[in-house]
Amino acid sequence: MRQLLRMWKLFAGMDLLWVLRGPRDAAMYVLSDAVLIVASISTTFLLAVRFDGIGHWDRAQILFMLGYAMFVNSLLDTLFGYNVKMISRRIGRGQLDHMLVQPQPLWRMFLTEGFTPFGQPFGLIISIAMLSWTSSLLDRPFSVVWLGILLLNLFASAAIVLALQVAWGAIAFWAPRSAEEINSATNRVVGSLGPLPLDGVNRFLLGGLLTVIPVGFTAWLPARSIADVSPLFPGGLVAPLAAPLFAAAAYFVFRKGLQHYARVGSQRYSNFGHRR
Amino acid sequence: MSSAQARVHAFGKTVGMSAAAAIGESRLMLLDAGLRIVRVLVLLAIWQTLVQPGEVVSGFTLAGLLTYTLIAEIFAQQLLTKSELDSWLWEGVIASRLLYPMTLVGQLVAQLLGSWLFGFVAVSLPILVVAPLVGVDISPDSWQAGLWFVPSLVLSIAIGLALDVILGAMTVALNLSIWLVDTLRGALLALLAGSVLPLAILPWGLGNVFGWLPFASMGSAPLRIYTGTGDPLPLMALQLGWALVLWLLAGYLWRATRERLVGYGG
C-alpha cells in the first residue's frame, strides 16, 4: 500500500507539471474540462428541463442520475487517464512494452500510472457537488445506510465501466491496428448512453446494454433504485453484485490477450521508431 | 490526358485511396458503426417515452422527431463534417500532402468523400433498412423539402470544412494539442449543432440564440428543412452567409499560418 501511495504521489506530481507547462496550457485544460462537463450531461439535462422529467423519472431524479454518471466517469478519468482507461491504444500501439519493462508488476502500473488529478480538475468536484445537491432534492429521507449503498454503487459502476473498457480493449491484442481505437468507440457509447434513462428501450437491446456493453450500469440501473424511481429490493445491490463478475470476465479476456501478446509481441514500430 | 482530366483522375484516385484506407484499417470499427446504430435506437426509445403520438412539441410531432433523429444519424458524417486535417498536422503527413499536385482543399474533399463510403455502407444503409422495422418513416416532409435538403447539406459540408481549416490554422498558430481542439469541437457541436436534440426543443429559448450560430447551419438547418420544420430560404441564406464568412476567414488564417507548419511525427 505504501508503494501504491508513493506512485500515486509521483504520477500526481508529473500530472501537475504537465498541466503547468505554461499559463496557456493550464487555461486550455481548465476551459476544456469545463466545456466537456457541460456537454457530457447537456442532452439529458435539457430534455429533463424541457419535459419536466423523462418518463417515470422526475426532474430531481434525472439530475441525480446525471450527477451519478458524472461521478463515475470523472472518477475513472482521474484514476485511469493517459490511455490506461483507453487500453486498446496502448496495446494496439505496442506501448504495453513500456509498462512491462518497468520494475513494477503490471497491475500496480495500471492502478497508478493513469492518476491525473490535475489534468481534469473539475469533474470530480462538480459531480460530488451535484450528487450532494440532487440527493437533497430526492423525495426520500437521508440515512447512513442509503449513503453507504450510494457509495458502494458508485464504485461498482466505475468498476463495471472499467471492466467494459478493458474487456473490449483487449481485442487489440489480436488485432492491434484495426482495434487500436476500439476503446474510443466504447468510451463514446458510455459517454452518450451512460447518462440516459433506458426504461423505454426494448428488452433485447436492453439485455445487450446490461451484459455485452454494460452501459446500463453506468448510472441508469443503480440510480433507478437508489433514487426510488423503481424501488426494487435488492435493486441497490445489483451493480455491486455484478461488478465482480464483469471484473472477472475482463481479467480473463485480458489475460488471454496478454498470453497471445507474449507469443507474438508487437509489430507496430519500424526499426526507425515510427508507428506503422 | 488534358489538364482537367488529370485533375479529375487525381481526385478520383484520392477518393479511392481514402475509401480503401477507411475500410482496410477499420475492420473492427464496424463495431463502432454497430454502436452508433444502438445509440440511435436508444434515442428513438426516449422520444417515444417523452412524446405521445399526435402530440405536437415545439412544432414537432413524434413522427417528425423520429425522422429528425434517424436522418441526423444517416447523414451524421456530412452534418458534422470533419476531415483528417488535424491528423495530417499531427502525423506530419501535411508536409507530403502540400507537395501533391492537388490543392489542399481538393485533397480534403476527396479524403472526406472516400471516408464517407465506409460510414454510408456500415451505418447509413443499415439504418435505412431498419427504419421501417422500427416504425419510422424517413421520407422528407414533402418532395420540395427533399430537394431543398440537398443544397442545404452541401452548404453544411462547406461550413464544416471551413471550420476544419480554421481550427487547423489555429492549432498551428497557437501550437495547440489537436486532441484538445478535437474534444472541444466535438463537445460544442454536440450541444450547439442541433443534430442530437432539435434546437426548437431546447428550454429557455436557447434554440432561438443557437439557431444563429454557424454550428446550427451545419446540423440543424438541413434537418429542419428535411422535416419541414423550417423555412428553406432564410435557413439557406444564413448557411450561405456563414459559408462565405468562414471560408474567407479560413483562407486568411491558413495563409497567415502555413509558414509556421511543423511536422510532429506520430
Side-chain angles (χ1 to χ4, degrees):
Chain A
M1 190 64 200
R2 188 182 299 172
Q3 183 69 6
L4 277 178
L5 291 173
R6 278 182 56 205
M7 289 179 68
W8 270 318
K9 186 180 167 189
L10 176 75
F11 286 114
M14 287 165 65
D15 182 44
L16 183 63
L17 288 175
W18 172 259
V19 172
L20 295 181
R21 279 170 299 162
R24 197 190 58 201
D25 289 310
M28 284 302 290
Y29 269 98
V30 169
L31 173 72
S32 63
D33 199 35
V35 172
L36 282 177
I37 288 167
V38 172
S40 68
I41 59 165
S42 61
T43 301
T44 314
F45 176 76
L46 293 168
L47 276 178
V49 171
R50 175 66 177 76
F51 292 94
D52 201 24
I54 298 176
H56 302 301
W57 299 68
D58 64 30
R59 196 190 291 194
Q61 289 165 330
I62 286 285
L63 291 176
F64 174 80
M65 186 180 69
L66 289 180
Y68 189 105
M70 276 172 68
F71 181 88
V72 169
N73 287 321
S74 301
L75 184 69
L76 290 174
D77 287 340
T78 302
L79 292 177
F80 301 100
Y82 291 124
N83 285 347
V84 175
K85 190 177 81 170
M86 313 286 272
I87 196 66
S88 66
R89 291 179 177 165
R90 290 199 171 190
I91 298 169
R93 294 169 188 173
Q95 293 168 350
L96 205 62
D97 289 357
H98 305 175
M99 302 174 88
L100 290 169
V101 297
Q102 299 294 322
Q104 302 285 345
L106 199 55
W107 66 266
R108 194 181 284 156
M109 295 300 297
F110 277 130
L111 266 182
T112 55
E113 201 183 83
F115 187 44
T116 56
F118 303 104
Q120 292 134 95
F122 293 132
L124 268 181
I125 297 168
I126 293 179
S127 57
I128 289 170
M130 188 152 171
L131 264 179
S132 308
W133 172 57
T134 53
S135 298
S136 69
L137 298 178
L138 294 175
D139 187 20
R140 65 171 334 288
F142 175 82
S143 72
V144 176
V145 174
W146 183 84
L147 181 65
I149 289 176
L150 171 63
L151 290 173
L152 190 64
N153 275 273
L154 284 167
F155 288 103
S157 291
I160 292 171
V161 174
L162 186 64
L164 180 166
Q165 289 289 92
V166 171
W168 280 85
I171 294 175
F173 279 122
W174 291 276
R177 184 156 186 161
S178 50
E180 177 186 327
E181 283 297 332
I182 202 162
N183 274 153
S184 299
T186 51
N187 199 47
R188 268 197 298 276
V189 170
V190 170
S192 59
L193 297 187
L196 290 176
L198 304 176
D199 305 73
V201 175
N202 81 50
R203 285 182 184 182
F204 178 72
L205 187 55
L206 190 58
L209 294 176
L210 291 172
T211 51
V212 185
I213 313 159
V215 287
F217 285 100
T218 310
W220 172 70
L221 191 67
R224 195 165 181 261
S225 178
I226 296 168
D228 279 347
V229 178
S230 174
L232 179 74
F233 185 80
L237 296 177
V238 173
L241 289 173
L245 299 177
F246 282 111
Y251 175 76
F252 175 77
V253 176
F254 190 84
R255 193 175 159 80
K256 281 281 175 196
L258 204 56
Q259 286 166 352
H260 178 76
Y261 191 74
R263 286 197 303 275
V264 302
S266 171
Q267 303 292 320
R268 289 301 300 279
Y269 285 90
S270 69
N271 291 339
F272 303 112
H274 289 285
R275 197 189 305 157
R276 290 192 174 97
Chain B
M1 190 182 286
S2 71
S3 164
Q5 280 176 320
R7 278 201 292 271
V8 171
H9 181 72
F11 187 82
K13 284 288 180 191
T14 312
V15 172
M17 282 162 54
S18 174
I23 295 164
E25 295 182 10
S26 306
R27 278 165 295 172
L28 276 170
M29 292 315 280
L30 273 174
L31 286 167
D32 189 21
L35 295 176
R36 279 178 59 192
I37 294 171
V38 167
R39 180 174 161 272
V40 83
L41 291 175
V42 171
L43 287 175
L44 294 183
I46 287 179
W47 285 129
Q48 285 164 335
T49 306
L50 287 170
V51 183
Q52 301 307 309
E55 188 183 353
V56 178
V57 179
S58 302
F60 280 93
T61 60
L62 174 60
L65 283 168
L66 299 182
T67 306
Y68 189 101
T69 302
L70 274 197
I71 295 298
E73 195 58 51
I74 288 170
F75 293 101
Q77 289 181 294
Q78 292 75 37
L79 293 168
L80 303 176
T81 293
K82 185 181 177 306
S83 73
E84 286 189 4
L85 180 60
D86 56 356
S87 301
W88 291 357
L89 291 169
W90 174 253
E91 293 169 3
V93 175
I94 190 73
S96 55
R97 288 284 178 170
L98 288 171
L99 297 174
Y100 278 26
M102 284 175 72
T103 62
L104 186 67
V105 173
Q107 291 182 58
L108 290 173
V109 172
Q111 177 264 313
L112 278 172
L113 289 176
S115 66
W116 287 346
L117 283 176
F118 176 74
F120 182 73
V121 172
V123 179
S124 304
L125 277 182
I127 290 180
L128 283 168
V129 172
V130 165
L133 302 177
V134 293
V136 181
D137 177 12
I138 53 160
S139 56
D141 184 60
S142 63
W143 66 267
Q144 293 95 331
L147 277 182
W148 282 116
F149 175 74
V150 178
S152 177
L153 188 64
V154 172
L155 284 169
S156 160
I157 294 166
I159 294 169
L161 201 52
L163 189 66
D164 234 23
V165 177
I166 290 169
L167 291 177
M170 285 173 64
T171 304
V172 172
L174 302 174
N175 197 18
L176 299 172
S177 151
I178 64 159
W179 311 118
L180 204 62
V181 173
D182 186 43
T183 308
L184 279 174
R185 172 199 167 109
L188 284 174
L189 282 176
L191 180 61
L192 303 175
S195 56
V196 180
L197 294 184
L199 295 180
I201 295 282
L202 301 184
W204 309 309
L206 287 174
N208 296 332
V209 181
F210 293 169
W212 290 98
L213 301 178
F215 311 110
S217 286
M218 287 173 68
S220 173
L223 292 169
R224 286 183 64 194
I225 290 171
Y226 192 89
T227 51
T229 52
D231 193 349
L233 287 178
L235 284 171
M236 287 178 60
L238 186 62
Q239 282 188 295
L240 188 62
W242 275 122
L244 289 173
V245 168
L246 292 181
W247 270 111
L248 285 172
L249 184 63
Y252 169 77
L253 287 176
W254 188 255
R255 280 192 299 277
T257 55
R258 63 174 282 164
E259 298 271 320
R260 301 181 60 184
L261 274 173
V262 176
Y264 294 104

